[in-house]
Amino acid sequence: MKNKLKKYFPMIRTKGEVLEEVKNNKKLWKTFCSWKEEYQQEYLDICTGVKGIKLLYDTYFKAIMNPDTRPERLNDFLSEILGEKVKILKVLPNESTRIAAESSLLVMDIVVQLEDGSIANVEIQKLGYRFPGERSACYSADLLLRQYKRVREQLGPTFSYKDIKKVYTIVLFETSNTFYKKFSEEIYIHRFRQTSDTGLETNLLQEYTFICLDIFGDIIQNEEREIENRLEEWLVFLSQDDPDMIIKLLNKNPGFHKIYEEVYNLCLNSERMMNMFSKELEILDRNTVKLMIDEMEEELAGAKKRVQEAEEKAQKRVEEAEEKAQKRAEEAEEKAQKRAEEAEEKAQKRVDEAEKRAREAEEKLRELERNLAGTAQGCNS
């Protein structure tokens, strides 16, 4: 495995050669020793060709794909993504507060103006679930507004809204959101644009391309799967650090050999290479801390929400219990009232029956008295 890439790039050094140079430079050795053991091993693996460099990381990407010094490479890459020939005019600064800075693990971010005046923002997110569509739309709107202000100031009274050009937001996810895989494990690139429900076409300026590198990696690493087109060649070059995949790409398109040579010539400059690697580790550490803070804040917010929901449920149960108790009390009172009324009715009925029997007895007594009086009169006669 160690000799696979050396066959293609003879300048690749051995582990012993790399370590010897680093140890002989106090500054470099101090830097090397400050790294965690896993990072020391990763650095050695990269420099010795055990694995390739992750070229999508900011410092490596800008060294190899710098739009100022190597515009033809980024032109080609963007042309393949957008499906039309484009040419970079200049790199634009991130003038406003970076909306996506709210998101952890932003690996790379670059904004360029194309020859036709349109804007393309290319960035890599390490964790796709930290970059939802809503945030993408907000950043696209921010770029569009910045373009509007800049063009209006430049053109003055001659300004027209037709002078505003498209804004392309291109996001590559190292680890994409799970809903992409749920949608399809075979589709790794998704393009979005605003459309009408009637089919009417109008230029609404904002377009989005999301590329899921993890899904692409699962697809392309299949031994029977060939690299099908120029875009896939670029994605393999930028995202794959497996030597077998690098060799597969070189066999498909030897034109990438020259770019890889630049990569491994970088590795020969230990001071520059270690500075770049250190910068990536700083970004990784900073973003990891930011990620942990974000997750803690989310966990705290979730705990607060769960407490609030528990309180609401408890309050609801109390209210329901009080309502049930009130209802049972009212039902008991109604039953007691009904039983009282029934008892009173029964008592009244018994009184009425007793009075009736008393009247009947009194009537019988008077009849008996009349009968006795008649009998007595008969005897006297």
Side-chain angles (χ1 to χ4, degrees):
M1 184 175 182
K2 293 182 180 180
N3 297 323
K4 284 183 179 180
L5 291 178
K6 191 172 178 62
K7 176 183 175 183
Y8 292 83
F9 308 102
M11 74 283 289
I12 292 178
R13 296 178 294 175
T14 65
K15 179 178 178 181
E17 290 171 336
V18 175
L19 282 174
E20 183 179 1
E21 181 183 1
V22 173
K23 286 180 179 179
N24 289 334
N25 185 312
K26 291 182 179 180
K27 181 181 176 182
L28 298 185
W29 182 243
K30 182 179 179 181
T31 300
F32 184 82
C33 292
S34 69
W35 296 338
K36 296 178 182 178
E37 185 177 346
E38 60 182 294
Y39 296 145
Q40 292 177 354
Q41 188 59 52
E42 183 177 355
Y43 176 78
L44 293 173
D45 287 346
I46 291 171
C47 291
T48 57
V50 172
K51 66 178 183 179
I53 300 176
K54 289 183 177 179
L55 292 170
L56 280 175
Y57 279 50
D58 191 68
T59 53
Y60 302 132
F61 184 91
K62 289 176 180 176
I64 302 300
M65 302 285 287
N66 192 320
D68 289 324
T69 59
R70 301 290 187 183
E72 71 282 356
R73 293 175 182 172
L74 194 53
N75 285 339
D76 190 25
F77 180 52
L78 291 178
S79 296
E80 292 301 322
I81 290 177
L82 299 176
E84 59 181 276
K85 197 74 174 176
V86 299
K87 184 178 180 181
I88 294 171
L89 182 64
K90 60 181 177 180
V91 180
L92 298 179
N94 281 336
E95 300 163 355
S96 62
T97 302
R98 181 69 172 93
I99 293 175
E102 300 167 1
S103 171
S104 298
L105 300 182
L106 175 67
V107 176
M108 189 273 289
D109 178 27
I110 188 170
V111 180
V112 294
Q113 182 178 355
L114 304 181
E115 192 174 38
D116 65 353
S118 59
I119 306 296
N121 169 229
V122 185
E123 59 185 66
I124 295 96
Q125 288 280 333
K126 194 168 185 65
L127 297 178
Y129 70 84
R130 295 280 169 178
F131 196 89
E134 294 86 348
R135 182 170 286 152
S136 178
C138 288
Y139 190 48
S140 174
D142 180 61
L143 286 175
L144 189 62
L145 181 59
R146 284 162 51 187
Q147 181 195 176
Y148 162 78
K149 291 178 178 178
R150 183 174 60 253
V151 173
R152 185 168 183 174
E153 184 177 345
Q154 290 171 352
L155 298 181
T158 64
F159 169 80
S160 166
Y161 280 101
K162 290 189 178 294
D163 296 318
I164 305 299
K165 304 302 180 181
K166 284 186 177 181
V167 171
Y168 300 100
T169 301
I170 301 166
V171 185
L172 296 95
F173 301 121
E174 280 201 17
T175 303
S176 56
N177 196 307
T178 53
F179 68 75
Y180 288 105
K181 283 190 175 181
K182 287 181 180 179
F183 177 78
S184 173
E185 293 186 354
E186 301 295 327
I187 301 173
Y188 63 86
I189 184 166
H190 302 269
R191 295 181 173 89
F192 300 85
R193 61 186 292 268
Q194 294 164 305
T195 59
S196 165
D197 61 350
T198 63
L200 178 67
E201 290 288 336
T202 187
N203 188 13
L204 294 179
L205 298 176
Q206 293 165 282
E207 295 188 13
Y208 308 84
T209 302
F210 295 158
I211 300 176
C212 305
L213 295 175
D214 52 345
I215 296 177
F216 172 73
D218 291 341
I219 295 171
I220 205 66
Q221 287 173 13
N222 187 322
E223 291 184 2
E224 298 179 358
R225 174 64 153 77
E226 295 297 327
I227 302 172
E228 294 182 350
N229 52 52
R230 182 68 171 170
L231 177 57
E232 289 193 350
E233 290 174 6
W234 275 114
L235 294 179
V236 169
F237 172 73
L238 292 170
S239 67
Q240 298 296 307
D241 60 2
D242 180 0
D244 289 328
M245 286 304 306
I246 293 173
I247 293 170
K248 189 175 184 179
L249 173 60
L250 293 174
N251 291 334
K252 167 71 175 177
N253 186 345
F256 282 94
H257 189 277
K258 183 178 179 180
I259 313 179
Y260 275 117
E261 276 189 341
E262 290 183 28
V263 173
Y264 287 109
N265 280 324
L266 275 177
C267 294
L268 296 177
N269 186 337
S270 295
E271 184 172 359
R272 185 183 180 192
M273 186 65 182
M274 290 187 74
N275 286 338
M276 292 171 66
F277 192 78
S278 293
K279 185 176 179 181
E280 290 302 331
L281 294 183
E282 288 174 7
I283 294 171
L284 178 62
D285 288 343
R286 182 174 66 247
N287 286 335
T288 300
V289 171
K290 178 69 169 62
L291 176 63
M292 291 172 64
I293 292 172
D294 285 350
E295 289 177 341
M296 289 174 67
E297 288 177 347
E298 288 179 3
E299 186 177 347
L300 179 60
K304 288 180 178 178
K305 185 178 180 181
R306 289 192 293 272
V307 169
Q308 183 179 356
E309 289 174 349
E311 289 176 348
E312 289 174 355
K313 288 180 180 178
Q315 180 63 29
K316 187 176 180 181
R317 287 196 292 270
V318 168
E319 291 174 355
E320 288 175 350
E322 289 177 347
E323 185 178 343
K324 288 179 180 178
Q326 180 66 25
K327 187 175 181 180
R328 286 196 295 268
E330 290 175 355
E331 289 175 350
E333 187 177 350
E334 289 177 1
K335 288 180 179 178
Q337 180 66 25
K338 186 175 181 180
R339 286 195 294 269
E341 291 174 355
E342 289 175 349
E344 186 178 349
E345 185 178 342
K346 289 179 180 178
Q348 184 62 43
K349 189 174 181 180
R350 287 196 294 271
V351 169
D352 292 343
E353 289 177 350
E355 289 178 348
K356 182 179 179 182
R357 286 197 295 272
R359 286 195 299 272
E360 289 175 349
E362 186 178 353
E363 182 63 30
K364 288 180 179 180
L365 180 60
R366 284 197 294 267
E367 185 178 352
L368 180 59
E369 288 177 347
R370 286 196 296 272
N371 291 334
L372 288 172
T375 302
Q377 188 177 3
C379 291
N380 291 329
S381 302

